[in-house]
Amino acid sequence: MESSILHTMSCTAHKNEVEMKDKETKLWGGRFEEGVTDAVERFTESISFDKALYKQDIMGSRAHASMLAHQGLIDASDKDVILKGLDQIEKEIEMGNFKWRTDREDVHMNIEAALTDLVGEPAKKLHTARSRNDQVSTDFRLWCRDAIDTIVSRIKYLQAALVVLAKKNEGLIVPGYTHLQRAQPVLLQHLLLAYVEQLDRDAGRLLDCRTRLNFCPLGACALAGTGLPIDRFMTSDALGFSAPMRNSIDAVSDRDFVLEFLSSNSITAIHLSRLGEEWVLWASEEFGFLTPSDSVSTGSSIMPQKKNPDPMELVRGKSARVVGDLVTLLVLCKGLPHAYNRDLQEDKEPVFDSVKAIVGMLEVSAEFAQNITFNSERIQNALPAGHLDATTLADYLVKKDIPFRTSHDIVGRSVALCVSRKCQLQDLSLDELRSISPVFDQDVYEYLGVENSIKKFSSYGSTGSECVASQLDYWMTRLDINRNT
C-alpha cells in the first residue's frame, strides 16, 4: 500500500515538473527559478471570476496609456499601437473569441499578456507607473459604479410599478396592521407608497455610496506611488472620477466602498423581503387579498390545485444571500494590515453575487407588481373585523374636550361591549354608547365605520384621501409617470 502511494506521488511530481516546463513565464517571474505548482495555480487564480472586469480593465489601460504618452513616458506611436491592440482584444472578448488562461492568473495579466502577444514591445511599456494593486482597485471601483447605476435604474422601475399599481386601486381600503394584528384602516395606495418611500431611501444610499467611491486609485502603484512624472489628475478625469485618491496607501487597501455598497444592497434586500412576505401572506387563502396572474405563479408537482406566489417567496429568500455577502466582506476585511493583501482577491465574488441577486429581486418584484389583482370584494368583507375605527372614535371624544387617556378608556369599554354583543362600533345605538359616556351624541356616527374613519385622517403624511392623493401626485411627477397610465 505504502509503495503504491509513493509511486503515485512520484508520478504526480514528474507530471508537475513536465507541465511547469511547458508553462508560460509569469510577467512577474524574473527573480523566480521555478514556477508554481498546479495546486497553487488553481488555488490562487482569479480569472474564473474577475474576467467580469475586462471592460473596466481595458478602460483603465486606455486612460493610463494616454497619460503616459502625454507625460512623455512612452512615445505617441507606442500609445497608438497599445490603444489599437486594446480595441482588438475588447472585440475578441465580446465576440467570445478570447482565450482566458489560468496560468495568466487574473484579468489584468491575461489582457496585458495578450496585448504583448499581439503588438510586441510597446505593450511592455503599459505597466509603467502602475501595479496590479492600484489597477484592480480602479477596475473594481469602475465596475461598482456601473453596478450602482444599474441597480438604481431597477429601483426606479419598481417604484414606478408600485405607483401605477396604487393609481389603479384608488379608494380601496385595507386593514392596517401593527404586531400583525388589525390596527386601523388605511388606503391601499398609502401602503404601496410606503414601499416607494423605502425604495427611494435605498436609491439615495446607493447614490451616496457612488459619490464616495468615485475617486481614482490609479497611479498609487503598489502602495507608495512612483517617482516617475505621471499625471494622476489626467487619468482620473479620463475615467470620470471626481479626483485622484489623496493617499496612495489608502488607495490600494481601501475596501470601504465595497462594504458600503453591500450594506446598501442588504437594506434594499430587507425591504424587498418585507414586500415579498406581505404579498405571500395576502395571496394565501386565509387572507385572499390579492391574486397573482398565472404568468408570475407556479404550481405543485403533487397538488394540482396549488397556485404559489413563488417569485416573491424567492425574493424573501434571496435576501439571505445578499446579507450573507455583506457579512463575508466584513469578516474578510476585519484585521487586515495596510496596504494590499491577497485576501482582497476574495472581495469580488460576494459583490458579483450581491449585485446579481439584488437586480433579479428588483426586476421580479416589478414584474409581480404588474401582474397582480387586489380582491376588493374579499377585502371589503374582511374590513369589519377588528374594530379598525376605534382610534378614530377616541379622536372624536378628544374633540369633545375629553382627555385622551379618558377617551381611550371609554372606547375600550365600548369595544368590550361590541365583543360581548358580537357587533361593530357603528352598530351600537346612541343609548348604548351613552351608557358608557354621556358625551356621545348623534354626530358620533360620522366617525364610525372604516369609510368615515378614512375621511377623518388629515395630518400631513396620513392615510386620508386628500393626503394620499397628494403623495400619489408627488410620485407620479417625480418618476415622470404618464397620468393616463
Side-chain angles (χ1 to χ4, degrees), residues 336-351:
L336 282 183
H338 280 108
Y340 181 80
N341 298 275
R342 191 64 180 268
D343 311 49
L344 293 175
Q345 177 174 299
E346 294 299 303
D347 61 1
K348 313 295 181 306
E349 288 180 287
V351 174

Side-chain angles (χ1 to χ4, degrees), residues 278-290 292 309 375 378:
E278 193 150 84
W279 282 358
V280 167
L281 282 175
W282 281 25
S284 69
E285 191 64 38
E286 284 69 23
F287 276 81
F289 286 0
L290 68 81
N375 305 323
R378 177 75 175 264

Side-chain angles (χ1 to χ4, degrees), residues 87-98 118:
D87 288 345
Q88 185 172 333
I89 289 171
E90 185 174 35
K91 288 176 183 176
E92 287 179 8
I93 295 172
E94 291 177 347
M95 291 174 64
N97 296 329
F98 188 84
L118 188 64

Side-chain angles (χ1 to χ4, degrees), residues 246-298:
R246 282 189 297 268
N247 186 292
S248 62
I249 297 175
D250 182 49
V252 298
S253 59
D254 171 52
R255 290 301 183 273
D256 291 357
F257 68 97
V258 182
L259 296 175
E260 186 175 0
F261 183 19
L262 295 199
S263 176
S264 299
N265 278 356
S266 295
I267 297 172
T268 303
I270 294 302
H271 288 157
L272 295 174
S273 75
R274 294 180 68 182
L275 176 64
E277 169 71 358
E278 193 150 84
W279 282 358
V280 167
L281 282 175
W282 281 25
S284 69
E285 191 64 38
E286 284 69 23
F287 276 81
F289 286 0
L290 68 81
T291 301
S293 72
D294 291 353
S295 62
V296 291
S297 304
T298 64

Side-chain angles (χ1 to χ4, degrees), residues 380-435:
Q380 187 69 31
N381 292 337
L383 280 173
H387 310 288
L388 299 174
D389 50 356
T391 307
T392 308
L393 182 58
D395 290 345
Y396 165 82
L397 292 170
V398 168
K399 290 180 179 178
K400 297 287 186 179
D401 294 328
I402 305 298
F404 180 78
R405 283 299 167 203
T406 305
S407 300
H408 189 284
D409 180 68
I410 292 170
V411 175
R413 286 187 283 129
S414 300
V415 170
L417 178 59
C418 287
V419 171
S420 68
R421 299 278 179 86
K422 297 182 179 179
C423 68
Q424 303 303 311
L425 285 167
Q426 62 186 345
D427 297 329
L428 295 175
S429 68
L430 187 57
D431 288 340
E432 287 173 318
L433 288 168
R434 282 178 171 169
S435 71

